C-alpha cells in the first residue's frame, strides 16, 4: 500500500515557523508508523528528528500525535489507522525542540513533585522485607504500568491550556504509591495534589484514558485520589 | 511476619478552598436537581409561558414558600455557574495573584447578585394587588 506521510517539521536553527513535509511511502499494512519514520530518516531525509529507543512499547520514547491522537509510534500499525493519509506531529503542550522531539523537562518536573518513590523509614518487622498480601498488591497494580511516555498528560485539555497543571501522569504515579500499603507518605502526596493545579484541575475529559498505550484507567485513578482527599480514606 | 490483608488506611488532609469548591460543585448540583426540575415543570408545563401574566407573578410572589424557593434556586444555580466560570477562567490565569483576584472578584459578584435578587424576591413589593 502507498501511504502519504505528512510530517511536522521544525528546525530552530533554520526555521522561523514550523511547516509540514509530505513523503509518499510504499509500505505494508502491518508496518508500524515507527517503521515508516525510520525508513524516511534512513533512506529519504536524514535530518528528520524523532525519539525512539526500544521500539516495542516499553520505553515510552516515541509518543507522538498521529492523525490527531496520541500513540506510541511503535505500537500503531498502518492498517489500524484506517486511512493512507497520515499526519504525524509532536506531542501538544510541551515545547518543540526539533521536528517530533519535544522538551520533556516540564513533564518530569511535575512528575518529581509528587514524590514518586517509596517512603518508609521504619525497618521491616523481620528486618528483611515488607510483606504485602496479593490483594494489597492488586490495589495499585494498574498504575504500576506507567512508562512515562507523556501521551496522557499531553492529550489533556486542562494541561494544554495551563501547563502548571501537574497532569495525569504525575497523578497516576502518585496513585501508585498512595495506595501501596508499604508506603507511609500518602498524606504528603495527597496534600501536594489537593491544589488548584493538582487533582482539581481534572475535568474528566477522559482523553488521558484513551491515549494511554498501557491501557491504564487514568481517569479512574485520578478520581480515586480525589476521593481519598475528600474522605480521608485510602482504600 | 505475616502480610496483613487490611487495605484501608486513614489519612487526614487539611481542607482548603479548592477542595471545598469541588465539594460545593457536587452538593449544589444535588440541590439543583429538585429546584430546577420543579421550576421548569411548573413554569413551562403546568402553567405554561403563555399563561404567565402579572396576576400569576403577583400570586406567586404572595407565597413565602415560592419566594424562598426562587431565592434558593437563584443562589445555587448562580453559584454553580460562577464556580464553573472560575474553572474556565483559571485556564487563562497563570499567576498566583491573578487567581486570588479572580476568586475574590467572582465571589463578590455572586454575593452581590444573589443578595439583590434575594432581597427583591423575599422582600417582595410593598403594594396590594391589583397594582395601582
Amino acid at each position: 500500500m502507498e501511504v502519504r506521510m505528512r510530517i511536522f517539521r521544525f528546525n530552530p536553527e533554520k526555521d522561523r515557523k514550523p511547516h509540514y513535509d509530505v513523503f509518499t511511502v510504499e509500505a505494508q499494512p502491518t508496518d508500524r508508523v515507527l517503521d515508516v519514520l525510520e525508513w524516511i530518516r534512513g533512506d529519504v531525509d536524514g535530518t528528520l528528528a524523532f525519539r525512539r529507543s526500544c521500539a516495542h512499547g516499553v520505553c515510552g520514547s516515541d509518543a507522538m500525535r498521529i492523525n490527531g491522537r496520541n500513540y506510541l509510534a511503535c505500537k500503531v500499525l498502518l492498517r489500524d489507522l484506517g486511512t493512507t493519509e497520515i499526519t504525524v506531529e509532536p506531542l501538544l503542550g510541551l515545547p518543540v525542540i526539533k521536528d517530533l522531539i519535544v522538551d520533556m523537562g516540564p513533564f518530569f518536573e511535575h512528575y518529581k513533585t509528587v514524590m514518586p518513590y517509596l517512603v518508609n523509614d521504619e525497618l521491616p518487622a523481620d528486618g528483611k522485607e515488607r510483606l504485602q498480601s496479593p490483594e494489597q498488591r492488586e490495589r495499585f497494580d494498574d498504575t504500576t504500568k506507567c512508562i512515562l511516555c507523556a501521551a496522557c498528560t499531553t492529550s489533556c485539555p486542562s494541561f494544554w491550556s495551563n501547563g502548571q497543571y501537574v497532569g495525569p501522569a504525575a497523578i497516576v504515579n502518585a496513585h501508585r504509591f498512595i495506595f501501596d500499603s508499604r508506603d507511609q507518605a500518602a498524606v504528603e502526596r495527597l496534600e501536594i495534589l489537593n491544589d488548584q493545579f493538582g487533582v482539581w484541575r481534572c475535568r474528566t475529559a477522559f482523553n488521558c484514558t484513551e491515549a494511554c498505550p498501557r491501557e491504564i484507567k487514568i481517569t479512574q485513578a485520578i478520581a480515586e485520589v480525589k476521593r481519598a482527599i475528600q474522605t480521608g480514606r485510602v482504600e | 511476619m505475616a502480610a496483613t490483608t487490611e487495605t484501608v488506611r486513614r489519612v487526614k488532609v487539611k481542607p482548603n478552598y479548592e477542595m471545598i469548591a469541588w465539594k460545593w460543585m457536587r452538593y449544589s448540583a444535588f440541590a439543583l436537581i429538585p429546584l430546577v426540575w420543579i421550576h421548569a415543570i411548573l413554569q413551562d408545563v403546568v402553567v405554561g409561558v403563555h399563561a404567565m401574566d402579572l396576576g400569576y407573578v403577583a400570586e406567586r410572589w404572595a407565597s413565602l414558600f415560592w419566594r424562598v424557593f426562587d431565592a434558593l434556586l437563584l443562589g445555587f444555580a448562580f453559584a454553580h455557574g460562577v464556580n464553573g466560570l472560575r474553572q474556565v477562567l483559571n485556564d487563562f490565569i497563570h499567576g498566583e495573584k491573578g487567581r486570588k483576584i479572580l476568586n475574590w472578584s467572582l465571589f463578590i459578584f455572586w454575593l452581590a447578585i444573589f443578595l439583590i435578587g434575594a432581597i427583591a424576591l423575599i422582600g417582595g413589593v410593598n403594594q396590594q394587588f391589583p397594582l395601582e
Side-chain angles (χ1 to χ4, degrees):
Chain A
M1 67 192 274
E2 191 174 82
V3 291
R4 201 168 158 271
M5 297 285 284
R6 200 167 148 264
I7 302 178
F8 179 99
R9 303 300 302 267
F10 177 64
N11 180 353
E13 289 173 359
K14 283 196 202 149
D15 303 333
R16 285 182 56 229
K17 282 199 300 191
H19 63 279
Y20 288 84
D21 279 347
V22 177
F23 301 90
T24 306
V25 180
E26 192 54 42
Q28 297 297 318
T30 48
D31 279 339
R32 304 163 303 169
V33 173
L34 181 67
D35 297 323
V36 180
L37 290 174
E38 285 287 15
W39 184 80
I40 292 170
R41 181 160 70 177
D43 288 34
V44 185
D45 183 350
T47 65
L48 176 65
F50 58 89
R51 280 195 189 101
R52 61 144 294 176
S53 199
C54 77
H56 287 80
V58 179
C59 72
S61 309
D62 62 348
M64 54 188 75
R65 206 149 38 105
I66 300 167
N67 285 353
R69 188 190 183 283
N70 284 357
Y71 289 101
L72 293 182
C74 61
K75 277 193 82 173
V76 57
L77 303 183
L78 296 179
R79 69 173 179 203
D80 293 339
L81 291 171
T83 172
T84 53
E85 299 276 325
I86 300 168
T87 302
V88 184
E89 295 159 304
L91 296 172
L92 267 183
L94 293 170
V96 175
I97 296 175
K98 192 186 174 195
D99 297 343
L100 303 173
I101 297 181
V102 292
D103 178 7
M104 296 282 279
F107 172 79
F108 284 112
E109 283 308 315
H110 286 312
Y111 169 66
K112 280 193 265 179
T113 61
V114 300
M115 307 162 69
Y117 39 81
L118 189 90
V119 178
N120 191 333
D121 295 328
E122 284 169 20
L123 280 175
D126 65 354
K128 287 181 193 159
E129 56 187 333
R130 298 188 174 90
L131 298 180
Q132 199 166 45
S133 67
E135 294 77 28
Q136 287 172 326
R137 176 61 181 73
E138 180 62 30
R139 180 65 192 87
F140 59 93
D141 186 65
D142 198 39
T143 45
T144 61
K145 295 189 293 189
C146 178
I147 53 172
L148 296 171
C149 66
C152 59
T153 297
T154 58
S155 72
C156 173
S158 291
F159 182 77
W160 294 336
S161 57
N162 198 331
Q164 288 166 291
Y165 173 35
V166 69
I171 302 172
V172 160
N173 284 279
H175 179 284
R176 184 252 170 271
F177 290 101
I178 289 167
F179 291 89
D180 187 334
S181 61
R182 299 163 299 182
D183 184 85
Q184 293 179 331
V187 180
E188 285 91 326
R189 287 193 199 89
L190 292 172
E191 274 174 359
I192 291 163
L193 292 173
N194 182 20
D195 184 83
Q196 167 65 235
F197 289 103
V199 285
W200 309 127
R201 198 99 272 256
C202 165
R203 283 97 175 258
T204 55
F206 279 90
N207 277 17
C208 52
T209 306
E210 265 185 40
C212 181
R214 308 284 298 185
E215 289 165 15
I216 300 171
K217 296 182 193 79
I218 303 178
T219 314
Q220 184 180 324
I222 298 174
E224 286 172 1
V225 174
K226 282 178 182 167
R227 191 174 57 196
I229 293 174
Q230 296 281 358
T231 61
R233 282 165 68 88
V234 176
E235 52 187 318
Chain B
M1 185 183 102
T4 61
T5 48
E6 182 61 51
T7 52
V8 180
R9 282 170 295 148
R10 289 262 168 206
V11 289
K12 195 145 183 66
V13 183
K14 255 193 282 163
N16 60 14
Y17 185 87
E18 289 307 326
M19 183 174 168
I20 294 163
W22 194 85
K23 258 188 195 165
W24 169 260
M25 209 59 176
R26 267 69 197 162
Y27 295 150
S28 66
F30 278 124
L32 280 171
I33 295 169
L35 287 170
V36 171
W37 273 102
I38 291 170
H39 176 83
I41 289 171
L42 184 72
Q43 307 288 80
D44 297 335
V45 182
V46 178
V47 178
V49 279
H50 300 295
M52 268 181 223
D53 53 17
L54 195 58
Y56 173 73
V57 174
E59 198 186 325
R60 205 174 143 92
W61 223 341
S63 150
L64 183 66
F65 172 79
W66 286 116
R67 282 187 278 169
V68 173
F69 182 95
D70 285 346
L72 284 176
L73 179 60
L74 169 70
F76 276 109
F78 196 46
H80 196 81
V82 167
N83 196 27
L85 183 67
R86 185 178 75 91
Q87 292 291 340
V88 173
L89 292 176
N90 263 325
D91 279 352
F92 306 97
I93 296 177
H94 293 239
E96 193 62 46
K97 202 176 160 199
R99 275 196 293 278
K100 223 170 229 171
I101 294 170
L102 176 78
N103 284 347
W104 279 106
S105 320
L106 285 177
F107 178 70
I108 292 165
F109 173 58
W110 170 80
L111 192 68
I113 300 286
F114 171 63
L115 282 179
I116 293 167
I119 290 166
L121 279 166
I122 297 173
V125 279
N126 233 352
Q127 286 189 46
Q128 289 296 312
F129 184 76
L131 301 174
E132 286 151 17

